[in-house]
Amino acid sequence: MSIDSCYEGVVGELTKQKRIVDISKKLLGLTKNYDRVLYVYELIEELKAFPKVIKVKKNNAVSTYYRNLGNNHFQTNKSHKTEDHKAWQYYNLSLLYAELDTDNYCLALANRSAAFFNLKKYKECLNDIETVFTMKYPEKLKGKLLKRKAACEEELSIKCNTSAPCSEIEEILEFKGPKDSRYKCASTKLEVVFNEELGRHIIAKEDIQVGEVLIEEDPYLSLLIQSQFLICCNHCLSRDLNLMPCDSCCYSLYCSEECKKKAYNEYHKYECPLLATLIHMEFTKLELLSLRILLKARSDHSDWSALFNTIEEAEANENNEFRGHVKEDGNWVYDSKYYASIHTLASNVEKRSVSDIFQKGVTAAVFLRLLNEETDFLKTGNVQEEVKIRKTVAGMLLLHVMTSPTNMHSINSNTQNEDGNYVEEMSVGSAPYAFHSLLNHSCSPNTVRFSKLGSGQMKCFALRPIKKGTQLFDNYGSHHALEDLISRLQSLHFQYKFKCQCEACCNNWPTYFGLRPARNLPATIRKEKERVLSPLAIEKLQKGDKGVALKVYKPLCQLAEQLEPFIPCKELADVQESLKQCLVIFEGLVPNGFNNLVEWSAIPKFKK
């Protein structure tokens, strides 16, 4: 049963009983998030509609099944890298299901090393071989591994290291200048202000040039999306290929013991027994983020009383300038590493329909049920305290289910298509960034966000020149170059509950294909644009060419400054898109093969 079918089943049964109107009135009369969730919880329990919990354990038969699938791809076409990528993913599945300290565990690693060798990932191949040699590996197969090890060492001895970081790229991506003492991740050139119309927002305290790094923010936590479970570290999003499995569940892989321990202590010890059910029920990344935020918030505090105090202090400051702040060495600071900054993000509950609140209440109630029945998360042995814990948890779950759609940010990269072009966006994860959430939306933004591939850290660059006193704008996904006015207004209102009044909407700017060349553009600027963005340069940027990106980046920044007075025009749109492509290249690209994902499900389907 998916969470959507669970919700539809509950609504269907309540409709059949002709109770929808009364329930809606009751729900509208409740003012506390925990009361809303506990009311919905009672309804689901009354209807006996809570989903069944799924248990999936390590199983050598399943491990063997996935290893054989990996072998099939490995042997199908040894010259085709995409088959090796699929074999590697199946070997990771085999590793996840292998019972600890068994031949299956060793065989999954050994076979994965063979896939790495074919992919010319010689260091990764050696790492897996060395790990296998620390275990009880079948003696009759050691000769094959020793031969592969020698071949790797030979390849590495003659291979030049071409993967060293480029100092020019580091210089472009570097945060320069001092950071604000209060808003720890932001430049001192920025200021957070508040008014009733715009809420909290960010303005420039001085002129800002195109290309400046203005924000460098680590998230409260990161959530890897399911499609990337076999590719990345489930905690830090690292793309280290020598991933190792959780000792208990069959879904989480980690790049290091450090990440495994951090994940376990922060949230995974409670997620671990629930993951089969959570994946099978097809919860969205935004819903799963709300659960993980709750779990980490508790682990951040020594006990429940400490968390209660944080929430009380945060809510006491909701209507003053210290909203989301905490005291650090006697000074107020606003930083994503503190739960208070996430707890106080806007939920827009007052703008939500009763059906939306009910649907999100169902999600929160199911999470609460799973935590209560399948973990000891809510249990302390003190009955009175447990009543307060249950209420607090219920309220936090609904709060974050509501804040996630409007405040969380996707972590993306570009991936190579079959033509060799890096123009297709690929989602890797999602995360809460307290400061980035303060940026308001524009359909023609003056900033752009990027995160380095394999990391959750987010950086914000100036995409247009920003004058002193001007507000900084992000883009929430609706851009005038890609969507017409009506489509943008509808999608923004549906998800974010506001009517956009940016310059592109107020002036009804055309989409890219309706943009005209700039009028009265000086010939020198036109010629420079044609020189910098020649057809060959554009083609090279699409191919992910770092050399070309480095060559054109700073000239593109200068062109963006010069073309600003002519906005909207086709020339500036071309320059901005090319600038963004350069940043995508600098932050890291996903080669072809890593986007050829194998199919798997929470409940493995295999023939014994």
Side-chain angles (χ1 to χ4, degrees), residues 15-45:
T15 302
K16 191 188 301 182
Q17 296 177 11
K18 298 181 179 180
R19 297 171 63 187
I20 293 295
V21 173
D22 290 341
I23 288 170
S24 297
K25 288 179 180 178
K26 170 74 172 177
L27 200 56
L28 284 171
L30 300 174
T31 58
K32 301 291 186 183
N33 280 334
Y34 62 76
D35 282 332
R36 296 174 178 128
V37 175
L38 295 178
Y39 176 58
V40 173
Y41 191 105
E42 290 173 3
L43 290 171
I44 301 174
E45 194 164 44

Side-chain angles (χ1 to χ4, degrees), residues 434-490:
F435 192 83
H436 274 91
S437 293
L438 303 182
L439 288 162
N440 281 333
H441 165 83
S442 170
C443 298
S444 180
N446 51 18
T447 70
V448 65
R449 292 177 284 107
F450 286 98
S451 54
K452 188 174 182 180
L453 186 64
S455 165
Q457 187 182 79
M458 189 78 72
K459 292 189 180 185
C460 179
F461 297 77
L463 185 61
R464 296 168 58 182
I466 305 171
K467 295 295 183 183
K468 179 181 178 180
T470 301
Q471 186 177 174
L472 275 69
F473 290 105
D474 187 12
N475 182 261
Y476 291 3
S478 295
H479 196 288
H480 84 89
L482 301 175
E483 284 184 78
D484 62 48
L485 175 61
I486 294 175
S487 297
R488 298 200 310 272
L489 291 177
Q490 288 176 341

Side-chain angles (χ1 to χ4, degrees), residues 206-224:
E206 54 186 275
D207 290 351
I208 293 168
Q209 294 182 323
V210 175
E212 287 192 50
V213 182
L214 303 173
I215 307 168
E216 186 178 63
E217 185 173 21
D218 291 315
Y220 183 61
L221 54 77
S222 300
L223 179 87
L224 186 69

Side-chain angles (χ1 to χ4, degrees), residues 104-140:
N104 277 72
Y105 194 96
C106 294
L107 288 168
L109 282 174
N111 287 23
R112 190 173 75 175
S113 75
F116 286 152
F117 188 84
N118 271 12
L119 290 166
K120 299 183 179 179
K121 301 290 183 181
Y122 301 119
K123 288 183 179 178
E124 289 82 358
C125 179
L126 280 177
N127 287 340
D128 272 0
I129 292 171
E130 292 299 334
T131 302
V132 169
F133 284 161
T134 66
M135 302 174 179
K136 295 178 181 178
Y137 187 71
E139 284 291 331
K140 62 180 180 180

